[in-house]
Amino acid sequence: MYLLFPGRHHLLTKYQKEYLLKLVRHGLSETLDLFGNPLGISNPPTAIIFAVTSANHNNTRRNPLSLYQRAMMIQDFSKELELPSYVIPIDDIGQSPNFASYTLKKIEVETELKLSLSPENTVVLCSTPVANLYLKLGFKILPVEKVPGPKLEFFAKLPWEELEDIVLKRKQSNRNGDGFREIHNSEKTKPSSFESGQSETYNQLDPASIRLWKDYGLFEKVDMLFSDTLIGDDGDLTESRDYNTYVREMDEIAELKYHETKPFVKPGRIGDIGCAVGSWIKLIGSEPNFLESDFYGVEIARHLYQICEQRKENGEFINPNVFFLRKNAVSGLVFPQLSMNTIHTSSLTHEIESYGGRDQLFSFLKNRYEELVLGGVWINRDVVGPEGKEKEVFVWMEEDSGTNHGRRPEEFPNFKEFLDSLSTKERFFQFQRDFRKEEGYVLRASRVFVDGIEYQRMKLGDICEYISKKDYTDNWESEMHESFCFWSFSEWKKNLESIGFRISPKSCEYRNEWLVQNRYEGKVKLFTSNNDNPVKAEDLMPFDLPVTHMLMLAEK
C-alpha cells in the first residue's frame, strides 16, 4: 500500500516524522481516517511518495525553496522511515478542481508509468482542503496534523504555520539583538543549540529541515522574502498585469533599447536587471565586441524568468555565457561588490518607486553603486518627469471620439472595452478617479472655459501622468499604480550624485516623438497663462508637450 503525501514541503516537522513512523511500524488497520473511522487496511505501507507541489516555483514567500533543496531535505528526512521514498515534482497549475487527478497523472509520467496510484493501492496523507479533491476520486484520507472528524482542530501546526511563526520570532529576536546570529554566525560560537534542534524557535522542526536550512542560509533568505513589501507572495510586482501583452511589448521595443544603449555598454561582466524575457541580452550578446563578456539577466517576475530559461534552453542566445537569476535587486545586492562593468535597467526604476516607495528606490540606487567596478557604468533607461512639474497648465482634450453614450462599465464584456469607448476627456475623468487611489494620491483638476472652450486646469506633472498611460487600456489596473513623473531629469542627477555616481554628459532626456505623433497630437493640447483667470483665447500661450524619457549614464 502506497502512502501519497502531497504538499509544498518547504519544512518537515518532528510531528510528521512521528506520524509516518507510526504508520510504518504499526500498520494502517487501526489508524483513524479523516472522518474518525479506523482505516481497516491490512496491507502494510510499502513506499512513501512525496508529491512536491509548486515544484517549478521558488524564491517567493509562498515557495521559498527550490525543488532540489526540497528533494534533498525529503531524502534526508526519509532515512529513518524504513521504507522506500520517492520525490515527485508537481508543477503549479493554479487553482484547479482537477489538481488531484493532475498530480496522479504527473506521478505516472515522472516514474515512466512505474507508479500508477489508485484508491485500491494508495492512501493519501493530507491536512488541508486539498484532501477533498482526492476524496472525490475515491481515495481514503489520513489527516496527519488535523484531528479526525468535522471540527477544524489540529494536533500540531501545519509546516507553513511553523514557518510563519519562525519568521515572526526571528524578526522579534533580531529587533532585540539576540536572534539567529547568536546560533548561526560565521564563527559558530553556539552550534550545538541549533543543530540539536533545542532552540525554542526551531524545536518543532525535524533535524533534516534544520540541517538543510542552516547549511544553505535559508532562514536568512526567508527573512528577506517576508520583509520585502515590493514583491507579492508569488514573486511578482503586480498581480494585475497581462503578461502576454507585456512580453509582446518588451520584444517590440528591444531593438530600440539595444540601439540606444549599445554605444555605452562596457565589456566584461554585464548585468541586465529586470531583463523581462532576455531580449536586450540576446541582441547585445550577439555583438562581436561582447562575445568574451559574461551576461547575467536578473528577473524577479516568475513568469518572465521562466521564459528566459526556456529561451536559453532553446539556444536563442549566441553567447554561451548567459545566465539568469531570479533575485530581488531592491532588498540586497544581486552581484558581488565591485564586480560589474555594466549594469543595464530599462523601465524598472519607476516601478520600484511606484510599488516599493522612495526608501526602496534609494536602496536600489545604492546597491547598483556598490556592485560596479571603478569606471563601471549603470545605464538606466526609463520614463522621466518634466522640469517644473508643479507648474499649472490648461489642458484641452478631444471629446468627439467617444462611443460610450453614458453606459456604465458593467454594461461591457470587460473593463478594457469600456475604456476604449471613452473619448480622451472622458477617459481622463476615469483616470482621475483611479490614479494611485490605493496610495492615497489625489489628482486635482478644475474646469475652466476660455472663449466658450473647455479646459482642465491642473499640474503639469499630472497631465503628463495621464497622457503617458491613457492608451494602456489592456493593463489599466496595473498602470494606475505607476508613477512616471516623480523625478525630473535634474532631480535624477542630483540624487544619483548624492550617492557617489558621476553623471556622464552623454546622458540625456528626450521626448518620444512617436508617442507625440501617434497618441498625443489631436488628443491633448497644453497651454499656460499669465492670467490667473484667462477668459480670452489670447490669454493662453501654447506649451510644448514635455520630455517623456531619459537615458541616464551613471558612472562609478
Side-chain angles (χ1 to χ4, degrees):
M1 185 64 64
Y2 295 122
L3 301 178
L4 173 59
F5 196 3
R8 286 180 282 158
H9 297 308
H10 294 286
L11 276 182
L12 297 166
T13 66
K14 289 180 178 178
Y15 178 86
Q16 289 174 327
K17 173 74 70 62
E18 293 167 0
Y19 188 88
L20 290 170
L21 282 173
K22 180 180 177 182
L23 297 180
V24 172
R25 292 170 179 171
H26 301 289
L28 304 173
S29 179
E30 299 302 317
T31 304
L32 300 183
D33 67 11
L34 186 63
F35 304 105
N37 303 315
L39 203 57
I41 295 176
S42 57
N43 294 334
T46 54
I48 302 174
I49 296 138
F50 292 86
V52 180
T53 58
S54 295
N56 56 330
H57 293 180
N58 69 89
N59 208 37
T60 69
R61 283 193 286 270
R62 270 176 39 83
N63 293 292
L65 272 63
S66 63
L67 171 64
Y68 85 87
Q69 290 169 328
R70 287 181 264 176
M72 291 167 59
M73 181 173 57
I74 291 168
Q75 291 294 351
D76 188 9
F77 173 86
S78 301
K79 289 177 181 177
E80 298 177 42
L81 296 181
E82 304 167 11
L83 283 181
S85 64
Y86 302 91
V87 178
I88 310 296
I90 310 296
D91 292 344
D92 181 75
I93 60 171
Q95 295 291 330
S96 170
N98 300 316
F99 185 65
S101 58
Y102 172 81
T103 299
L104 298 172
K105 293 173 184 175
K106 191 72 162 58
I107 291 171
E108 283 192 9
V109 171
E110 290 289 335
T111 61
E112 299 180 348
L113 307 183
K114 292 177 183 177
L115 289 179
S116 181
L117 307 187
S118 68
E120 288 71 37
N121 66 7
T122 303
V123 176
V124 176
L125 283 65
C126 187
S127 303
T128 71
V130 173
N132 294 324
L133 302 179
Y134 290 95
L135 279 173
K136 290 179 181 178
L137 298 178
F139 286 88
K140 292 187 176 181
I141 310 295
L142 292 179
V144 195
E145 289 93 356
K146 183 183 179 302
V147 175
K151 292 184 179 180
L152 199 62
E153 298 175 345
F154 293 84
F155 291 117
K157 289 180 180 179
L158 299 175
W160 190 249
E161 294 173 328
E162 291 286 358
L163 177 57
E164 289 179 331
D165 277 358
I166 287 171
V167 170
L168 180 61
K169 289 176 182 176
R170 287 170 57 81
K171 188 179 296 185
Q172 293 170 343
S173 295
N174 287 335
R175 278 200 297 263
N176 296 333
D178 58 351
F180 181 58
R181 294 183 185 86
E182 291 186 7
I183 300 169
H184 181 54
N185 58 19
S186 57
E187 292 78 24
K188 294 187 177 179
T189 54
K190 297 183 180 180
S192 58
S193 63
F194 184 89
E195 290 169 359
S196 63
Q198 297 305 307
S199 167
E200 181 181 352
T201 303
Y202 314 101
N203 62 7
Q204 299 305 315
L205 303 188
D206 184 81
S209 286
I210 292 175
R211 282 190 288 270
L212 182 99
W213 280 66
K214 175 178 71 71
D215 290 346
Y216 283 82
L218 298 177
F219 288 105
E220 292 89 344
K221 178 178 181 179
V222 168
D223 286 344
M224 181 271 290
L225 291 172
F226 274 76
S227 65
D228 187 350
T229 59
L230 184 65
I231 305 300
D233 285 352
D234 284 318
D236 289 322
L237 281 171
T238 171
E239 298 176 0
S240 57
R241 174 169 288 154
D242 177 353
Y243 276 112
N244 291 326
T245 302
Y246 186 73
V247 169
R248 185 170 63 251
E249 291 172 350
M250 290 300 100
D251 269 345
E252 287 172 354
I253 65 172
E255 287 276 353
L256 172 64
K257 294 192 292 185
Y258 161 66
H259 288 296
E260 189 173 339
T261 58
K262 182 177 70 170
F264 311 109
V265 178
K266 298 184 178 183
R269 288 170 58 92
I270 300 169
D272 185 14
I273 300 178
C275 67
V277 293
S279 303
W280 184 82
I281 289 178
K282 181 179 176 180
L283 292 169
I284 290 286
S286 64
E287 286 285 323
N289 293 346
F290 301 112
L291 290 179
E292 298 298 320
S293 294
D294 295 337
F295 290 87
Y296 299 88
V298 180
E299 181 54 61
I300 189 63
R302 170 175 50 83
H303 185 82
L304 302 181
Y305 173 78
Q306 290 170 344
I307 293 174
C308 290
E309 289 288 358
Q310 186 62 55
R311 282 185 157 182
K312 182 177 178 180
E313 188 174 325
N314 293 345
E316 294 186 33
F317 300 96
I318 293 176
N319 189 319
N321 296 316
V322 173
F323 309 95
F324 291 103
L325 304 87
R326 187 153 184 246
K327 299 185 74 173
N328 184 349
V330 175
S331 50
L333 301 179
V334 291
F335 308 116
Q337 289 179 310
L338 295 168
S339 69
M340 303 304 292
N341 301 93
T342 300
I343 297 173
H344 169 261
T345 57
S346 182
S347 303
L348 176 64
T349 47
H350 78 270
E351 291 200 340
I352 296 170
E353 165 76 16
S354 301
Y355 292 103
R358 187 60 49 81
D359 288 345
Q360 295 214 13
L361 177 62
F362 267 108
S363 175
F364 181 86
L365 306 182
K366 292 172 183 176
N367 288 338
R368 306 296 73 78
Y369 184 82
E370 291 294 322
E371 292 164 350
L372 288 172
V373 299
L374 293 176
V377 61
W378 171 29
I379 304 171
N380 184 26
R381 181 186 181 277
D382 208 343
V383 291
V384 70
E387 301 292 344
K389 56 183 177 286
E390 299 296 316
K391 180 184 182 70
E392 191 174 74
V393 293
F394 298 83
V395 185
W396 170 89
M397 303 182 210
E398 70 82 21
E399 52 185 313
D400 297 327
S401 64
T403 59
N404 181 270
H405 306 301
R407 288 180 291 170
R408 299 184 300 276
E410 54 267 26
E411 298 178 56
F412 289 81
N414 55 62
F415 197 58
K416 170 180 167 52
E417 291 192 25
F418 165 71
L419 292 169
D420 288 341
S421 74
L422 302 176
S423 68
T424 304
K425 186 172 80 169
E426 291 169 327
R427 199 178 298 171
F428 169 75
F429 294 125
Q430 184 68 43
F431 178 85
Q432 187 181 23
R433 288 191 290 271
D434 296 344
F435 179 62
R436 295 185 67 77
K437 176 179 62 177
E438 293 183 16
E439 289 78 10
Y441 187 78
V442 178
L443 196 164
R444 304 188 187 281
S446 58
R447 187 167 60 172
V448 176
F449 287 92
V450 179
D451 273 350
I453 298 175
E454 182 179 335
Y455 299 85
Q456 296 294 324
R457 185 199 302 239
M458 70 185 80
K459 294 177 182 178
L460 175 60
D462 285 340
I463 187 57
C464 289
E465 293 283 10
Y466 172 56
I467 61 177
S468 66
K469 301 176 181 67
K470 68 182 181 65
D471 295 288
Y472 293 109
T473 56
D474 50 358
N475 270 320
W476 185 265
E477 184 180 348
S478 177
E479 294 292 335
M480 291 306 99
H481 291 283
E482 300 195 9
S483 173
F484 287 4
C485 302
F486 57 94
W487 279 344
S488 66
F489 187 71
S490 63
E491 289 171 325
W492 263 103
K493 291 177 64 177
K494 178 181 177 181
N495 283 293
L496 288 171
E497 288 170 344
S498 72
I499 291 171
F501 283 107
R502 184 185 76 86
I503 306 306
S504 166
K506 295 179 180 178
S507 302
C508 62
E509 57 181 338
Y510 60 93
R511 191 173 72 177
N512 186 320
E513 294 302 327
W514 185 93
L515 291 176
V516 173
Q517 295 169 14
N518 292 275
R519 293 183 174 175
Y520 303 165
E521 286 184 355
K523 303 294 184 181
V524 294
K525 295 179 184 178
L526 274 56
F527 301 87
T528 59
S529 178
N530 293 325
N531 188 340
D532 288 340
N533 296 293
V535 293
K536 297 179 180 179
E538 52 263 35
D539 292 335
L540 297 179
M541 298 172 287
F543 186 83
D544 281 343
L545 291 166
V547 296
T548 58
H549 291 77
M550 69 174 183
L551 181 65
M552 186 66 73
L553 308 172
E555 300 173 339
K556 183 170 180 178

